[in-house]
Amino acid sequence: MGVSCVGVLLESHISFHTWPEAGVITLDLFTCGSGELIPVLPIVKSLFAIPRDGVTEESGKWLKPRTKWTHKLRGFRGDVQHYLAGDLGEIILESSDYDYKEHVVSVQTPFQKIDIYDTISDSGGDIAFYERSLTNDGSYEAMNRIMFEPNRLVFLDGVLQSTRDGIESYHEALVQPA
């Protein structure tokens, strides 16, 4: 049997619901403040993404728990366009279509905000191939790691600029003379 809990703060709330038999916990963090919640993800993972009893690989190691998360801008912003409302929000933050979604880095330069994410789609068992590529078991995946790396996406001011997969023809046209 699971547990549900809600905490209401001044202009925020947090709620969670658990399904222990399935090893699932859902968290909802909501704030009306201007602070970003993305930097909180590593803390949430360290507190809640713990291995389940008896879930191990053949080697006897604990399997790393998987986390799926989304981020949705809500509320009233008037005429102010938030950078998370662009491609970054639509493609990465609001999407639950990834088995693997890791925030690599965010940097604010004097000119722009740079965000980099690694993703693996939830279609086709790609996460299993990726996880196997991280082992040294002599498998095809382990011997050809580069083929199973996550897709890396680069955003400038919330607008998609580059991905590891799929837009080579676009970049080829940028570097070739007319």
Side-chain angles (χ1 to χ4, degrees):
M1 179 174 291
V3 174
S4 294
C5 184
V6 176
V8 179
L9 307 171
L10 288 176
E11 295 180 352
S12 307
H13 76 260
I14 181 171
S15 66
F16 69 88
H17 311 281
T18 66
W19 291 266
E21 62 281 353
V24 173
I25 181 171
T26 62
L27 294 167
D28 175 33
L29 305 172
F30 183 89
T31 181
C32 294
S34 60
E36 294 185 20
L37 291 175
I38 301 295
V40 174
L41 285 171
I43 297 166
V44 170
K45 287 180 184 181
S46 71
L47 292 172
F48 293 101
I50 56 174
R52 292 177 19 201
D53 288 340
V55 181
T56 61
E57 295 177 356
E58 298 84 26
S59 66
K61 296 180 183 175
W62 288 103
L63 288 175
K64 183 179 176 185
R66 293 187 189 149
T67 57
K68 281 188 121 175
W69 58 270
T70 62
H71 179 283
K72 176 76 175 159
L73 286 175
R74 299 177 191 260
F76 304 99
R77 289 185 174 66
D79 294 333
V80 176
Q81 180 67 22
H82 196 283
Y83 87 102
L84 293 179
D87 291 345
L88 178 58
E90 184 178 330
I91 296 169
I92 298 293
L93 303 180
E94 293 180 15
S95 177
S96 60
D97 296 335
Y98 300 107
D99 277 339
Y100 180 86
K101 178 169 48 173
E102 287 295 323
H103 178 241
V104 177
V105 69
S106 290
V107 177
Q108 178 67 54
T109 73
F111 308 101
Q112 60 201 0
K113 173 96 172 182
I114 303 166
D115 294 286
I116 302 175
Y117 284 83
D118 282 347
T119 63
I120 296 177
S121 175
D122 66 359
S123 62
D126 295 336
I127 189 72
F129 296 135
Y130 168 66
E131 288 174 343
R132 187 146 193 189
S133 76
L134 300 176
T135 68
N136 291 318
D137 65 358
S139 65
Y140 177 80
E141 293 86 353
M143 294 172 62
N144 297 281
R145 285 190 172 112
I146 195 166
M147 294 177 62
F148 302 98
E149 290 178 347
N151 187 20
R152 179 155 286 180
L153 296 94
V154 178
F155 298 86
L156 297 179
D157 293 328
V159 178
L160 180 64
Q161 300 296 311
S162 179
T163 70
R164 180 180 171 268
D165 298 334
I167 60 171
E168 294 85 356
S169 58
Y170 169 76
H171 289 284
E172 185 70 18
L174 292 176
V175 297
Q176 296 298 323

